C-alpha cells in the first residue's frame, strides 16, 4: 500500500525547496545508507554514461547541487568535453524520485580545499594514490601506491591534489515524481533559462512549472 502523498496544489513557483525537504527527510530518517546518493549522467559523442556520486550540498536558493570527484576520471574528462549533465535522486522507500538536467562548472578551488581538508585522512591519501579510471595491473600495485603516499606525507597534512575537487551543477530543468496507486503517479516539471558567462556567477530567470501525465 502506497502512503498518501501528493505534490502540492498549486505547484510551488520553484522546485528546489521541495527537493531539499525531500533530501532532508531521507537523511533525517536514517533508515537507508547514503540518502544523498544520486546518479550522474554525462554524454560525449552521443554515448551516455552514468554512475552514482554523493550530493554534498543542495542549495535551494541558487538551484545548484555540489559534488566532488577526480577531474581526470572518466566523468571528469566527459564533463570537460560536454558540461551538460543530468542527475537522478531515487528514494524507493519514500516513493519519490527527482530528475535534474543542467550544466556543470568546477567549484572554486578554495571551496575544494575546504572540503578536502574535512575528509578522513585515509580518503585524502586515497585521492592522491588513485589515478581514477586509469588501468591497474593488480591490487598490489594500488596498495603500493597508497603506501607510497603514506610515506610521502608521514604525519603531516595532506594537501588537495590539483586534479581533485568540486563541481557545481546548475539545474535548468527539474522533474519531481511521487508514486501513485495503480501507477497513476504525480509528476511535475520546472524549467528555467540560465545565462552563463566565463568567470561570472550564472544568472537565472524565474522557473516555469507544468504538471505531467504519468
Amino acid at each position: 500500500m502506497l502512503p498518501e502523498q501528493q505534490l502540492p496544489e498549486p505547484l510551488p513557483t520553484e522546485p528546489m525547496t521541495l527537493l531539499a525537504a525531500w533530501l532532508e527527510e531521507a537523511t533525517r530518517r536514517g533508515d537507508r545508507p547514503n540518502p544523498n546518493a544520486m546518479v550522474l549522467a554525462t554524454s560525449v559523442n552521443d554515448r551516455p554514461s552514468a554512475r552514482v556520486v554523493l550530493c554534498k550540498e543542495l542549495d535551494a536558493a541558487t538551484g545548484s547541487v555540489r559534488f566532488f570527484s577526480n577531474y581526470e576520471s572518466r566523468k571528469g574528462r566527459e564533463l570537460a568535453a560536454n558540461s551538460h549533465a543530468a542527475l537522478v535522486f531515487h528514494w524507493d522507500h519514500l516513493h519519490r524520485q527527482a530528475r535534474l538536467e543542467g550544466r556543470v562548472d568546477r567549484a572554486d578551488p578554495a571551496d575544494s580545499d575546504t572540503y578536502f581538508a574535512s575528509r578522513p585522512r585515509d580518503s585524502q591519501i586515497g585521492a592522491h594514490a588513485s589515478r581514477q579510471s586509469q588501468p591497474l595491473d593488480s591490487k598490489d600495485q594500488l596498495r603500493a601506491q597508497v603506501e607510497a603516499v603514506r610515506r610521502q606525507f608521514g604525519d603531516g597534512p595532506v594537501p588537495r591534489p590539483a586534479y581533485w575537487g568540486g563541481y557545481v551543477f546548475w539545474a535548468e530543468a527539474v522533474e519531481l515524481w511521487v508514486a501513485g496507486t495503480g501507477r497513476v503517479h504525480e509528476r511535475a516539471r520546472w524549467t528555467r533559462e540560465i545565462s552563463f558567462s566565463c568567470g561570472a556567477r550564472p544568472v537565472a530567470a524565474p522557473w516555469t512549472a507544468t504538471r505531467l501525465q504519468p
Side-chain angles (χ1 to χ4, degrees):
M1 178 69 97
L2 293 173
E4 287 297 328
Q5 56 179 338
Q6 298 178 334
L7 292 174
E9 179 64 49
L11 291 172
T13 56
E14 54 84 17
M16 298 300 290
T17 298
L18 181 55
L19 176 56
W22 285 6
L23 175 59
E24 192 279 331
E25 179 183 351
T27 303
R28 184 181 67 251
R29 288 169 59 102
D31 53 1
R32 294 293 189 280
N34 299 319
N36 61 331
M38 59 186 184
V39 175
L40 167 67
T42 54
S43 181
V44 174
N45 298 325
D46 297 323
R47 292 182 176 271
S49 62
R51 74 288 291 162
V52 176
V53 298
L54 297 180
C55 168
K56 292 301 181 179
E57 181 185 21
L58 193 157
D59 187 340
T62 61
S64 63
V65 178
R66 194 176 300 262
F67 62 94
F68 294 83
S69 185
N70 186 312
Y71 292 144
E72 297 177 354
S73 65
R74 178 178 175 181
K75 72 176 84 64
R77 296 194 304 270
E78 292 184 349
L79 287 171
N82 178 10
S83 62
H84 294 278
L87 300 175
V88 178
F89 292 91
H90 184 70
W91 299 288
D92 188 56
H93 62 304
L94 297 178
H95 310 285
R96 293 169 179 165
Q97 179 174 276
R99 299 175 55 236
L100 297 82
E101 301 162 23
R103 269 185 52 171
V104 179
D105 290 331
R106 287 193 183 186
D108 185 279
D111 293 341
S112 295
D113 288 339
T114 297
Y115 176 73
F116 189 82
S118 74
R119 304 184 84 206
R121 187 176 181 83
D122 283 348
S123 296
Q124 294 175 340
I125 289 171
H128 277 270
S130 173
R131 312 303 288 189
Q132 194 176 106
S133 302
Q134 297 303 308
L136 185 68
D137 291 335
S138 67
K139 288 190 286 188
D140 285 341
Q141 177 191 344
L142 184 57
R143 293 190 188 101
Q145 290 171 190
V146 170
E147 289 309 311
V149 173
R150 290 191 192 280
R151 290 193 298 271
Q152 176 185 353
F153 294 110
D155 295 329
V158 182
R160 177 179 67 89
Y163 53 80
W164 191 99
Y167 288 100
V168 182
F169 174 97
W170 297 93
E172 297 174 299
V174 176
E175 182 179 319
L176 301 183
W177 175 96
V178 176
T181 302
R183 303 196 66 77
V184 182
H185 310 308
E186 290 214 40
R187 293 174 61 194
R189 182 176 174 86
W190 289 256
T191 58
R192 65 176 179 174
E193 297 289 334
I194 303 182
S195 298
F196 295 89
S197 300
C198 183
R201 186 187 183 93
V203 178
W207 292 93
T208 299
T210 308
R211 283 189 178 270
L212 302 175
Q213 297 189 45

